[in-house]
């Protein structure tokens, strides 16, 4: 019995010695390498660039009769007129508005139209015979006239404004319908001053002549 107690006591002593010894603390972990992070990049936001184009304006079409050249390549212009004691003298110009030379020779074919574009009854004569014996500008021998683009020829007209028969209505032309040369397209001219024939029914014309514009 005594020996068993001693064994127990020894065991108790060993256990107490183990329990009472100092255990050193675990060493602190070594510091790791420092990591340097680059600074956050600075982002600059520029405002969007806006390009404003000017509005497109459609070109206006040319005024009728002002710039457009008729089919035949020529147009008519009304010149100044003259009136004295019932005798009327007028001048009409034909302008080459095309791109090719235009040749005239002799007399044009002329018709008069009223305001409603109905034909006016009139006899067209070459010269002033039966209208006046005084110089009127419609005299002359027909000659060949070549018009380069932009050049013009002139045509003289003469008539009397007389009413000799009250039973015959007075005739008045407001549109000149001209065939400049045989086979050419007709060209019309709305007149500012009418061809007021009265009831004489006769219109004298001259041949084409070169004219300066």
């Amino acid at each position: 019995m005594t020996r068993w107690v001693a064994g127990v006591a020894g065991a108790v002593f060993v256990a107490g010695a183990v329990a009472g010894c100092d255990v050193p603390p675990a060493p602190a972990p070594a510091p790791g390498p420092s990591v340097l992070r680059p600074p956050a990049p600075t982002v600059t936001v520029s405002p969007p660039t806006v390009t404003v184009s000017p509005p497109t304006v459609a070109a206006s079409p040319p005024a009728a009769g002002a710039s457009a050249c008729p089919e035949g390549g020529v147009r008519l212009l009304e010149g100044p007129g003259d009136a004295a004691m019932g005798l009327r003298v007028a001048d009409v110009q034909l302008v080459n508005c095309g791109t090719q030379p235009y040749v005239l020779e002799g007399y044009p074919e002329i018709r008069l139209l009223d305001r409603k574009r109905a034909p006016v009854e009139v006899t067209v004569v070459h010269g002033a015979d039966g209208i006046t014996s005084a110089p009127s500008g419609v005299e002359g021998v027909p000659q060949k006239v070549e018009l380069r683009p932009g050049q013009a020829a002139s045509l003289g007209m003469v008539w009397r404004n007389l009413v000799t028969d009250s039973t015959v209505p007075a005739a008045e032309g407001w549109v000149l319908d001209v065939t400049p040369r045989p086979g050419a397209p007709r060209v019309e001219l709305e007149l500012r001053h009418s061809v007021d024939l009265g009831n004489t029914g006769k219109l004298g014309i001259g041949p084409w002549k070169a004219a300066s514009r």
Side-chain angles (χ1 to χ4, degrees):
M1 287 295 287
T2 303
R3 186 176 179 182
W4 178 84
V5 173
V8 174
V12 172
F13 173 79
V14 173
V18 174
C21 67
D22 294 331
V23 179
S34 300
V35 179
L36 298 179
R37 295 186 178 180
T42 302
V43 179
T44 303
V45 180
S46 301
T49 302
V50 180
T51 303
V52 180
S53 301
T56 302
V57 180
S60 300
S67 300
C69 190
E71 176 188 358
V74 292
R75 70 159 60 93
L76 295 174
L77 299 176
E78 183 178 0
D82 188 17
M85 298 188 63
L87 182 66
R88 307 283 198 261
V89 177
D91 177 77
V92 174
Q93 288 193 350
L94 180 140
V95 182
N96 182 358
C97 56
T99 59
Q100 301 296 325
Y102 196 92
V103 179
L104 297 167
E105 188 171 7
Y107 299 85
E109 179 185 332
I110 287 184
R111 292 193 310 160
L112 283 179
L113 310 177
D114 62 16
R115 288 186 182 274
K116 297 181 179 180
R117 279 182 160 70
V120 174
E121 291 188 13
V122 58
T123 300
V124 179
V125 298
H126 296 166
D129 187 26
I131 299 174
T132 180
S133 57
S136 60
V138 301
E139 300 80 16
V141 179
Q143 297 180 352
K144 182 178 179 180
V145 179
E146 182 174 345
L147 304 177
R148 293 192 299 272
Q151 291 184 327
S154 65
L155 171 71
M157 300 189 302
V158 61
W159 69 93
R160 284 194 179 277
N161 176 24
L162 294 176
V163 177
T164 58
D165 187 347
S166 58
T167 62
V168 179
E172 193 171 26
W174 284 96
V175 179
L176 203 60
D177 183 274
V178 179
T179 302
R181 62 186 184 186
R186 296 200 304 267
V187 188
E188 286 190 357
L189 174 64
E190 294 186 2
L191 300 170
R192 298 189 306 273
H193 308 286
S194 68
V195 179
D196 50 349
L197 297 168
N199 56 22
T200 61
K202 183 178 287 189
L203 172 67
I205 64 171
W208 289 115
K209 298 178 182 179
S212 58
R213 295 185 61 196

